[in-house]
Amino acid sequence: MIRRVGLALLIACAIPFAIFYTTLQVAGVWVAIFAALGWAYGAIAWRWLTGRRPSGLLILTATVMTGRTVIATAADSTFLYFLQPVITDGIVATTFLLSLATTRPIVARLAGDFYPMDHELSLRPAIQRLFRRLTVLWAVLGLAKATITLWLLETQTLHTFVLVKGISVLTLTTLTIAATIGAAAVVGRKEGLLASA
């Protein structure tokens, strides 16, 4: 599970950030925008060509980056490109919270990307509670990311903004992933899915 999460995070988040920041330094902001977007689509194509399903996180990343790029290009505004994550994170966080009103919150829909899950397992009460708690946790992360991004965008230079946002968001996301794995491991042990330490 840790390997899957780490690989999904590396491919969908860390590598696009590294490509964006490096390209920003060398060739400018517009080239960086399209280079990161190209990575996302290239990674999806590579997964399909090698007979592997792209992770939900990678598809979500590519979708969000495409929307940001189209809007920023149409408006000819790099500021709008960087403002959109504030809006996107707010929408994603709200969507996570609204999904709690359904029988299948968003974390339940994404769980299969990280752990083999059949329908019977996903219906266990402890697993259902875990999905709901993790959906709240990820909603809080989205709201935190939106707040940090807006503050940095309004107070920092472009290069500082990109670097600090990239590192802080990646750190917050990594901590949230660690909390997710920890909570899942506790429930997994109690449900007999994992061996006790």
Side-chain angles (χ1 to χ4, degrees):
M1 183 168 52
I2 292 172
R3 183 183 62 79
R4 282 186 184 189
V5 170
L7 186 60
L9 188 61
L10 177 71
I11 291 170
C13 300
I15 292 175
F17 164 69
I19 289 170
F20 187 95
Y21 189 72
T22 302
T23 308
L24 174 66
Q25 300 297 327
V26 174
V29 67
W30 283 110
V31 177
I33 288 169
F34 285 102
L37 182 62
W39 163 262
Y41 280 104
I44 289 171
W46 177 254
R47 301 278 302 177
W48 279 334
L49 289 171
T50 57
R52 295 174 289 169
R53 186 175 70 83
S55 73
L57 182 60
L58 179 58
I59 291 173
L60 179 64
T61 297
T63 302
V64 168
M65 287 174 69
T66 300
R68 289 174 65 188
T69 303
V70 167
I71 291 169
T73 303
D76 193 25
S77 171
T78 57
F79 178 80
L80 191 55
Y81 180 84
F82 295 111
L83 179 64
Q84 288 178 74
V86 174
I87 299 163
T88 302
D89 286 336
I91 291 170
V92 168
T94 302
T95 303
F96 269 64
L97 291 174
L98 290 174
S99 77
L100 291 170
T102 70
T103 58
R104 225 173 143 218
I106 288 184
V107 168
R109 298 166 200 261
L110 298 175
D113 287 345
F114 305 104
Y115 185 85
M117 178 119 7
D118 61 24
H119 185 66
E120 180 183 323
L121 177 60
S122 69
L123 292 178
R124 291 185 185 184
I127 302 293
Q128 295 265 323
R129 283 191 301 275
L130 174 68
F131 289 158
R132 293 193 173 286
R133 289 175 183 153
L134 292 179
T135 296
V136 171
L137 175 66
W138 284 90
V140 169
L141 172 69
L143 294 173
K145 285 170 40 182
T147 303
I148 290 168
T149 301
L150 184 59
W151 177 78
L152 289 170
L153 187 59
E154 291 181 343
T155 62
Q156 304 300 315
T157 65
L158 176 62
H159 290 270
T160 302
F161 164 78
V162 170
L163 182 62
V164 174
K165 177 193 177 275
I167 291 171
S168 62
V169 165
L170 191 57
T171 300
L172 279 174
T173 303
T174 301
L175 291 173
T176 305
I177 288 170
T180 299
I181 292 170
V186 168
V187 172
R189 284 191 191 98
K190 287 181 180 176
E191 291 293 303
L193 303 172
L194 300 172
S196 296

